[in-house]
C-alpha cells in the first residue's frame, strides 16, 4: 500500500520544535497516511530558534508540503510566513504551516483540538471561571477556545510580569479587564477556589521534567470538588498534575485528544482527504499502553 514505503516520489510533512524527540505526531500521522494509501511521510526535525529562517528556506528547497510547530516556536514563526489566517492572527500563534504560490502560510488548529473534549461535556461553561497556567503560544490557543466556549472569566497566571502585561495587551479591547485577566503566580491561592476549569499550558510534567508539576497537592485542594483539570501534556499519561487531580476525585483531561484533533485538522488541510481520526487516536493509545 502507498504510504508504507518511502520512494523517490514520497512527499514530506514534518513537525518542528526544540525539543521534538518526544513528539508522538509522527506516529499518528504516518498511521493515518498509511491507512489513506497516500505517498507521504511525516518526520520530526529539532530546530533551534536561531535556525528557523534557515529551516524554512531548506524546507522550500526540498519542496516540503507542510509542517506543524510545537514549543517554543509557535509565535516566533509568524514573522517568517507570507500569509496567516485571521484565526491565527487573533490567537497570535501558528501551529500548522503549508506552501502556497506566495510562500508559506500558517494557521492555528490548536483551538479546535483544545475544545474537542470540552464540547462533549454537559457543563454550564457560561457560569464557570477558568484558570490558565502559563502565557505562551499554547495559552493563547486555550484563551481563544475559552472565549469561544463562553467562560465568563479567564485568569491567566504566569511568572514573568512583563510577558503577562504583553499577553493581556495583545488581545482585543473588549476582552481586557472584562473576561480576560492576568495574574502573577502568587495570586493562585485566591483564584483556585472559584475555578471551574484549570488548564496547564506549561511544559512542567513533560519529558524531561516528568517528576515535576506546576501545582502541588495543597494547590489542588483549593479547587472546588466539581472542577476539571486539563493538562495539555499528553506524555507521560497521566502527568503528575493529573494523577494528583484524580486522587482528589477531580475531573481530569489529558492532552491526547487535543493532539489528535489538531493533527487531524492539519492533515485535512495538507492532503484534502477524509482523515481517519480514530486510527490516529488508537495508534497513540496503543503506543502509550492506554488501549
Amino acid at each position: 500500500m502507498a504510504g508504507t514505503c518511502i520512494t523517490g516520489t514520497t512527499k514530506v510533512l514534518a513537525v518542528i520544535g526544540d525539543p521534538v524527540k518526544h513528539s508522538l505526531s509522527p506516529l499518528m500521522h504516518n498511521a493515518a497516511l498509511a491507512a489513506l494509501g497516500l505517498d507521504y511521510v511525516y518526520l520530526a526535525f529539532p530546530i533551534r530558534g536561531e535556525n528557523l529562517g534557515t529551516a524554512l528556506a531548506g524546507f522550500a528547497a526540498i519542496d516540503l508540503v507542510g509542517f506543524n510547530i510545537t514549543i517554543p516556536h509557535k509565535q516566533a514563526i509568524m514573522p517568517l510566513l507570507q500569509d496567516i489566517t485571521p484565526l491565527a492572527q487573533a490567537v497570535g500563534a501558528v501551529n500548522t504551516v503549508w506552501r502556497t504560490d506566495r510562500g508559506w502560510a500558517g494557521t492555528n488548529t490548536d483551538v479546535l483540538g483544545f475544545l474537542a473534549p470540552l464540547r462533549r461535556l454537559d457543563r454550564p461553561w457560561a457560569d464557570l471561571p477558568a484558570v490558565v497556567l502559563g502565557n505562551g503560544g499554547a495559552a493563547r490557543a486555550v484563551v481563544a477556545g475559552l472565549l469561544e466556549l463562553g467562560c465568563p472569566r479567564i485568569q491567566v497566571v504566569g511568572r514573568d510580569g512583563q510577558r503577562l502585561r504583553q499577553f493581556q495587551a495583545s488581545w482585543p479591547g473588549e476582552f481586557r479587564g472584562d473576561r480576560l485577566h492576568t495574574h502573577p503566580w502568587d495570586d493562585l491561592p485566591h483564584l483556585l477556589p472559584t475555578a471551574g476549569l484549570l488548564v496547564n499550558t506549561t511544559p512542567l510534567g513533560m519529558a524531561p521534567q516528568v517528576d515535576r508539576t506546576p501545582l502541588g497537592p495543597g494547590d489542588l485542594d483549593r479547587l472546588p470538588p466539581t472542577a476539571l483539570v486539563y493538562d495539555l501534556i499528553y506524555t507521560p499519561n497521566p502527568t503528575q498534575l493529573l494523577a494528583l487531580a484524580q486522587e482528589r476525585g477531580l475531573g481530569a483531561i489529558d492532552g491526547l485528544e487535543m493532539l489528535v484533533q489538531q493533527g487531524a485538522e492539519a492533515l485535512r488541510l495538507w492532503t484534502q482527504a477524509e482523515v481517519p481520526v480514530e486510527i490516529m487516536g488508537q495508534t497513540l493509545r496503543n503506543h502509550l499502553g492506554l488501549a
Side-chain angles (χ1 to χ4, degrees):
M1 177 187 296
T4 61
C5 179
I6 297 174
T7 71
T9 63
T10 301
K11 297 177 182 178
V12 180
L13 299 167
V15 58
I16 67 170
D18 183 26
V20 78
K21 64 182 179 181
H22 67 280
S23 176
L24 299 185
S25 291
L27 280 172
M28 69 173 183
H29 280 288
N30 286 315
L33 292 167
L36 290 167
L38 296 177
D39 189 16
Y40 284 76
V41 65
Y42 186 105
L43 305 172
F45 295 125
I47 306 292
R48 293 187 180 277
E50 63 268 26
N51 295 328
L52 274 176
T54 303
L56 261 65
F59 288 165
I62 65 171
D63 203 24
L64 186 138
V65 174
F67 58 96
N68 288 128
I69 304 134
T70 188
I71 294 173
H73 302 322
K74 293 184 180 186
Q75 293 169 282
I77 196 77
M78 295 180 71
L80 304 177
L81 306 178
Q82 283 68 55
D83 291 296
I84 300 173
T85 64
L87 173 61
Q89 290 279 16
V91 172
V94 164
N95 79 318
T96 301
V97 173
W98 68 99
R99 293 285 301 282
T100 71
D101 292 340
R102 282 172 39 83
W104 295 108
T107 192
N108 191 300
T109 66
D110 280 335
V111 178
L112 180 151
F114 168 72
L115 287 174
L118 296 177
R119 289 198 184 282
R120 289 200 301 273
L121 300 176
D122 185 17
R123 296 283 180 120
W125 299 114
D127 299 323
L128 297 180
V131 171
V132 179
L133 305 179
N135 52 277
R140 299 193 65 84
V142 167
V143 167
L146 294 174
L147 290 169
E148 183 177 331
L149 200 60
C151 289
R153 195 164 65 255
I154 303 163
Q155 318 276 18
V156 176
V157 183
R159 299 188 185 277
D160 186 317
Q162 181 177 354
R163 288 191 65 194
L164 282 171
R165 288 189 291 272
Q166 292 171 345
F167 187 96
Q168 174 106 18
S170 66
W171 291 86
E174 62 264 29
F175 301 134
R176 297 199 301 271
D178 180 11
R179 294 174 65 191
L180 177 62
H181 306 262
T182 56
H183 299 267
W185 207 266
D186 290 345
D187 283 358
L188 270 173
H190 309 293
L191 302 175
L192 294 174
T194 62
L197 174 65
L198 172 74
V199 185
N200 177 41
T201 74
T202 79
L204 288 176
M206 181 176 71
Q209 306 177 86
V210 295
D211 294 327
R212 300 186 65 187
T213 176
L215 297 181
D219 299 309
L220 292 177
D221 287 339
R222 296 177 183 273
L223 288 169
T226 57
L228 280 171
V229 179
Y230 190 154
D231 197 335
L232 301 196
I233 297 170
Y234 54 84
T235 180
N237 194 304
T239 60
Q240 287 289 327
L241 177 64
L242 291 188
L244 289 170
Q246 290 167 338
E247 288 173 7
R248 282 153 182 75
L250 299 169
I253 302 174
D254 61 56
L256 198 61
E257 184 170 0
M258 177 177 176
L259 174 68
V260 171
Q261 295 290 345
Q262 64 80 26
E265 185 64 19
L267 199 55
R268 289 187 194 100
L269 190 156
W270 293 323
T271 67
Q272 304 299 306
E274 186 63 36
V275 176
V277 178
E278 181 54 38
I279 287 176
M280 297 173 76
Q282 192 60 50
T283 297
L284 297 191
R285 289 191 292 272
N286 291 342
H287 175 76
L288 295 170
L290 303 173

mmCIF file of all heavy atoms in Angstrom, residues 141-168:
data_model
loop_
_atom_site.group_PDB
_atom_site.id
_atom_site.type_symbol
_atom_site.label_atom_id
_atom_site.label_comp_id
_atom_site.label_asym_id
_atom_site.label_seq_id
_atom_site.Cartn_x
_atom_site.Cartn_y
_atom_site.Cartn_z
ATOM 1 N N ALA A 141 -3.939 29.832 22.393
ATOM 2 C CA ALA A 141 -4.968 28.988 21.779
ATOM 3 C C ALA A 141 -6.028 28.615 22.809
ATOM 4 O O ALA A 141 -7.225 28.574 22.501
ATOM 5 C CB ALA A 141 -4.335 27.742 21.179
ATOM 6 N N VAL A 142 -5.603 28.338 24.033
ATOM 7 C CA VAL A 142 -6.540 27.986 25.096
ATOM 8 C C VAL A 142 -7.468 29.157 25.402
ATOM 9 O O VAL A 142 -8.688 28.989 25.519
ATOM 10 C CB VAL A 142 -5.770 27.550 26.363
ATOM 11 C CG1 VAL A 142 -6.690 27.497 27.577
ATOM 12 C CG2 VAL A 142 -5.124 26.192 26.126
ATOM 13 N N VAL A 143 -6.922 30.356 25.522
ATOM 14 C CA VAL A 143 -7.751 31.531 25.809
ATOM 15 C C VAL A 143 -8.764 31.755 24.685
ATOM 16 O O VAL A 143 -9.940 32.027 24.940
ATOM 17 C CB VAL A 143 -6.874 32.780 26.023
ATOM 18 C CG1 VAL A 143 -7.721 34.046 26.006
ATOM 19 C CG2 VAL A 143 -6.118 32.670 27.340
ATOM 20 N N ALA A 144 -8.319 31.636 23.438
ATOM 21 C CA ALA A 144 -9.255 31.787 22.314
ATOM 22 C C ALA A 144 -10.371 30.756 22.396
ATOM 23 O O ALA A 144 -11.543 31.065 22.144
ATOM 24 C CB ALA A 144 -8.504 31.650 20.991
ATOM 25 N N GLY A 145 -10.027 29.531 22.768
ATOM 26 C CA GLY A 145 -11.036 28.491 22.911
ATOM 27 C C GLY A 145 -11.994 28.774 24.048
ATOM 28 O O GLY A 145 -13.215 28.587 23.917
ATOM 29 N N LEU A 146 -11.475 29.239 25.180
ATOM 30 C CA LEU A 146 -12.325 29.532 26.332
ATOM 31 C C LEU A 146 -13.260 30.710 26.063
ATOM 32 O O LEU A 146 -14.405 30.724 26.516
ATOM 33 C CB LEU A 146 -11.454 29.821 27.555
ATOM 34 C CG LEU A 146 -10.625 28.636 28.071
ATOM 35 C CD1 LEU A 146 -9.693 29.087 29.193
ATOM 36 C CD2 LEU A 146 -11.524 27.502 28.543
ATOM 37 N N LEU A 147 -12.777 31.693 25.305
ATOM 38 C CA LEU A 147 -13.641 32.798 24.906
ATOM 39 C C LEU A 147 -14.780 32.288 24.029
ATOM 40 O O LEU A 147 -15.935 32.687 24.194
ATOM 41 C CB LEU A 147 -12.829 33.861 24.176
ATOM 42 C CG LEU A 147 -11.852 34.671 25.026
ATOM 43 C CD1 LEU A 147 -10.910 35.495 24.142
ATOM 44 C CD2 LEU A 147 -12.611 35.592 25.988
ATOM 45 N N GLU A 148 -14.433 31.390 23.099
ATOM 46 C CA GLU A 148 -15.467 30.811 22.230
ATOM 47 C C GLU A 148 -16.439 29.946 23.016
ATOM 48 O O GLU A 148 -17.643 29.913 22.733
ATOM 49 C CB GLU A 148 -14.800 29.978 21.129
ATOM 50 C CG GLU A 148 -15.767 29.387 20.127
ATOM 51 C CD GLU A 148 -15.067 28.632 19.007
ATOM 52 O OE1 GLU A 148 -13.912 28.982 18.677
ATOM 53 O OE2 GLU A 148 -15.669 27.685 18.467
ATOM 54 N N LEU A 149 -15.915 29.239 24.028
ATOM 55 C CA LEU A 149 -16.752 28.360 24.843
ATOM 56 C C LEU A 149 -17.724 29.142 25.706
ATOM 57 O O LEU A 149 -18.771 28.623 26.110
ATOM 58 C CB LEU A 149 -15.838 27.489 25.719
ATOM 59 C CG LEU A 149 -16.387 26.201 26.306
ATOM 60 C CD1 LEU A 149 -16.833 25.246 25.210
ATOM 61 C CD2 LEU A 149 -15.331 25.543 27.186
ATOM 62 N N GLY A 150 -17.376 30.398 26.019
ATOM 63 C CA GLY A 150 -18.275 31.247 26.790
ATOM 64 C C GLY A 150 -17.929 31.395 28.251
ATOM 65 O O GLY A 150 -18.760 31.904 29.034
ATOM 66 N N CYS A 151 -16.735 30.971 28.660
ATOM 67 C CA CYS A 151 -16.347 31.123 30.069
ATOM 68 C C CYS A 151 -16.420 32.602 30.462
ATOM 69 O O CYS A 151 -15.909 33.455 29.742
ATOM 70 C CB CYS A 151 -14.936 30.589 30.295
ATOM 71 S SG CYS A 151 -14.821 28.795 30.185
ATOM 72 N N PRO A 152 -17.029 32.902 31.595
ATOM 73 C CA PRO A 152 -17.272 34.310 31.952
ATOM 74 C C PRO A 152 -16.017 35.055 32.386
ATOM 75 O O PRO A 152 -15.950 36.282 32.261
ATOM 76 C CB PRO A 152 -18.259 34.204 33.112
ATOM 77 C CG PRO A 152 -17.942 32.876 33.747
ATOM 78 C CD PRO A 152 -17.568 31.971 32.608
ATOM 79 N N ARG A 153 -15.046 34.335 32.940
ATOM 80 C CA ARG A 153 -13.831 34.974 33.433
ATOM 81 C C ARG A 153 -12.658 34.024 33.212
ATOM 82 O O ARG A 153 -12.719 32.848 33.588
ATOM 83 C CB ARG A 153 -13.969 35.314 34.918
ATOM 84 C CG ARG A 153 -12.937 36.285 35.440
ATOM 85 C CD ARG A 153 -13.338 36.880 36.778
ATOM 86 N NE ARG A 153 -13.394 35.878 37.842
ATOM 87 C CZ ARG A 153 -14.518 35.377 38.352
ATOM 88 N NH1 ARG A 153 -15.687 35.781 37.881
ATOM 89 N NH2 ARG A 153 -14.489 34.481 39.308
ATOM 90 N N ILE A 154 -11.597 34.525 32.601
ATOM 91 C CA ILE A 154 -10.421 33.720 32.285
ATOM 92 C C ILE A 154 -9.222 34.367 32.968
ATOM 93 O O ILE A 154 -8.860 35.503 32.662
ATOM 94 C CB ILE A 154 -10.207 33.627 30.758
ATOM 95 C CG1 ILE A 154 -11.454 33.036 30.084
ATOM 96 C CG2 ILE A 154 -8.977 32.785 30.434
ATOM 97 C CD1 ILE A 154 -11.506 33.277 28.587
ATOM 98 N N GLN A 155 -8.618 33.640 33.895
ATOM 99 C CA GLN A 155 -7.495 34.146 34.680
ATOM 100 C C GLN A 155 -6.217 33.468 34.185
ATOM 101 O O GLN A 155 -6.050 32.262 34.366
ATOM 102 C CB GLN A 155 -7.698 33.828 36.168
ATOM 103 C CG GLN A 155 -9.119 34.055 36.686
ATOM 104 C CD GLN A 155 -9.383 35.495 37.071
ATOM 105 O OE1 GLN A 155 -8.662 36.405 36.665
ATOM 106 N NE2 GLN A 155 -10.411 35.721 37.862
ATOM 107 N N VAL A 156 -5.341 34.214 33.555
ATOM 108 C CA VAL A 156 -4.078 33.682 33.038
ATOM 109 C C VAL A 156 -2.974 33.986 34.045
ATOM 110 O O VAL A 156 -2.784 35.143 34.430
ATOM 111 C CB VAL A 156 -3.738 34.289 31.664
ATOM 112 C CG1 VAL A 156 -2.382 33.794 31.178
ATOM 113 C CG2 VAL A 156 -4.823 33.935 30.652
ATOM 114 N N VAL A 157 -2.260 32.949 34.455
ATOM 115 C CA VAL A 157 -1.265 33.075 35.517
ATOM 116 C C VAL A 157 0.125 32.781 34.966
ATOM 117 O O VAL A 157 0.324 31.788 34.245
ATOM 118 C CB VAL A 157 -1.584 32.107 36.677
ATOM 119 C CG1 VAL A 157 -0.594 32.290 37.822
ATOM 120 C CG2 VAL A 157 -3.009 32.324 37.168
ATOM 121 N N GLY A 158 1.091 33.642 35.284
ATOM 122 C CA GLY A 158 2.461 33.426 34.821
ATOM 123 C C GLY A 158 3.463 33.979 35.817
ATOM 124 O O GLY A 158 3.100 34.605 36.820
ATOM 125 N N ARG A 159 4.747 33.753 35.524
ATOM 126 C CA ARG A 159 5.814 34.157 36.449
ATOM 127 C C ARG A 159 6.564 35.413 35.986
ATOM 128 O O ARG A 159 7.319 35.981 36.760
ATOM 129 C CB ARG A 159 6.799 33.000 36.633
ATOM 130 C CG ARG A 159 6.162 31.748 37.216
ATOM 131 C CD ARG A 159 7.204 30.709 37.571
ATOM 132 N NE ARG A 159 6.613 29.462 38.012
ATOM 133 C CZ ARG A 159 6.185 29.215 39.252
ATOM 134 N NH1 ARG A 159 6.292 30.171 40.175
ATOM 135 N NH2 ARG A 159 5.662 28.049 39.574
ATOM 136 N N ASP A 160 6.368 35.810 34.734
ATOM 137 C CA ASP A 160 7.090 36.960 34.193
ATOM 138 C C ASP A 160 6.106 38.115 34.013
ATOM 139 O O ASP A 160 5.230 38.072 33.137
ATOM 140 C CB ASP A 160 7.724 36.577 32.849
ATOM 141 C CG ASP A 160 8.615 37.670 32.281
ATOM 142 O OD1 ASP A 160 8.217 38.843 32.326
ATOM 143 O OD2 ASP A 160 9.701 37.343 31.769
ATOM 144 N N GLY A 161 6.247 39.142 34.844
ATOM 145 C CA GLY A 161 5.294 40.246 34.823
ATOM 146 C C GLY A 161 5.222 40.960 33.489
ATOM 147 O O GLY A 161 4.136 41.312 33.024
ATOM 148 N N GLN A 162 6.367 41.161 32.843
ATOM 149 C CA GLN A 162 6.370 41.860 31.563
ATOM 150 C C GLN A 162 5.650 41.046 30.490
ATOM 151 O O GLN A 162 4.853 41.592 29.715
ATOM 152 C CB GLN A 162 7.797 42.151 31.111
ATOM 153 C CG GLN A 162 7.867 42.913 29.791
ATOM 154 C CD GLN A 162 9.292 43.265 29.398
ATOM 155 O OE1 GLN A 162 10.225 43.039 30.152
ATOM 156 N NE2 GLN A 162 9.449 43.818 28.202
ATOM 157 N N ARG A 163 5.899 39.745 30.463
ATOM 158 C CA ARG A 163 5.222 38.886 29.480
ATOM 159 C C ARG A 163 3.714 38.837 29.737
ATOM 160 O O ARG A 163 2.924 38.790 28.799
ATOM 161 C CB ARG A 163 5.807 37.478 29.516
ATOM 162 C CG ARG A 163 7.206 37.369 28.931
ATOM 163 C CD ARG A 163 7.602 35.925 28.750
ATOM 164 N NE ARG A 163 6.751 35.279 27.763
ATOM 165 C CZ ARG A 163 6.687 33.953 27.590
ATOM 166 N NH1 ARG A 163 7.403 33.157 28.358
ATOM 167 N NH2 ARG A 163 5.901 33.439 26.672
ATOM 168 N N LEU A 164 3.326 38.852 31.005
ATOM 169 C CA LEU A 164 1.898 38.864 31.324
ATOM 170 C C LEU A 164 1.237 40.141 30.825
ATOM 171 O O LEU A 164 0.134 40.102 30.263
ATOM 172 C CB LEU A 164 1.697 38.729 32.831
ATOM 173 C CG LEU A 164 1.856 37.333 33.418
ATOM 174 C CD1 LEU A 164 1.852 37.400 34.940
ATOM 175 C CD2 LEU A 164 0.750 36.393 32.934
ATOM 176 N N ARG A 165 1.906 41.280 31.020
ATOM 177 C CA ARG A 165 1.345 42.548 30.541
ATOM 178 C C ARG A 165 1.232 42.548 29.024
ATOM 179 O O ARG A 165 0.240 43.034 28.459
ATOM 180 C CB ARG A 165 2.212 43.705 31.032
ATOM 181 C CG ARG A 165 2.086 43.976 32.532
ATOM 182 C CD ARG A 165 2.781 45.257 32.941
ATOM 183 N NE ARG A 165 4.228 45.148 32.827
ATOM 184 C CZ ARG A 165 5.021 44.696 33.795
ATOM 185 N NH1 ARG A 165 4.501 44.274 34.934
ATOM 186 N NH2 ARG A 165 6.334 44.651 33.619
ATOM 187 N N GLN A 166 2.242 42.015 28.351
ATOM 188 C CA GLN A 166 2.194 41.925 26.892
ATOM 189 C C GLN A 166 1.069 41.003 26.444
ATOM 190 O O GLN A 166 0.377 41.276 25.457
ATOM 191 C CB GLN A 166 3.541 41.437 26.360
ATOM 192 C CG GLN A 166 4.674 42.435 26.535
ATOM 193 C CD GLN A 166 6.028 41.849 26.207
ATOM 194 O OE1 GLN A 166 6.203 40.624 26.113
ATOM 195 N NE2 GLN A 166 7.016 42.719 26.010
ATOM 196 N N PHE A 167 0.891 39.900 27.161
ATOM 197 C CA PHE A 167 -0.180 38.943 26.839
ATOM 198 C C PHE A 167 -1.535 39.633 26.925
ATOM 199 O O PHE A 167 -2.350 39.545 26.000
ATOM 200 C CB PHE A 167 -0.107 37.763 27.812
ATOM 201 C CG PHE A 167 -1.044 36.632 27.497
ATOM 202 C CD1 PHE A 167 -0.605 35.536 26.776
ATOM 203 C CD2 PHE A 167 -2.362 36.648 27.940
ATOM 204 C CE1 PHE A 167 -1.471 34.485 26.491
ATOM 205 C CE2 PHE A 167 -3.231 35.613 27.666
ATOM 206 C CZ PHE A 167 -2.773 34.516 26.937
ATOM 207 N N GLN A 168 -1.785 40.314 28.015
ATOM 208 C CA GLN A 168 -3.074 40.987 28.204
ATOM 209 C C GLN A 168 -3.298 42.053 27.137
ATOM 210 O O GLN A 168 -4.383 42.158 26.558
ATOM 211 C CB GLN A 168 -3.118 41.624 29.593
ATOM 212 C CG GLN A 168 -4.355 42.475 29.836
ATOM 213 C CD GLN A 168 -5.351 41.807 30.757
ATOM 214 O OE1 GLN A 168 -5.010 40.888 31.471
ATOM 215 N NE2 GLN A 168 -6.579 42.279 30.738
#
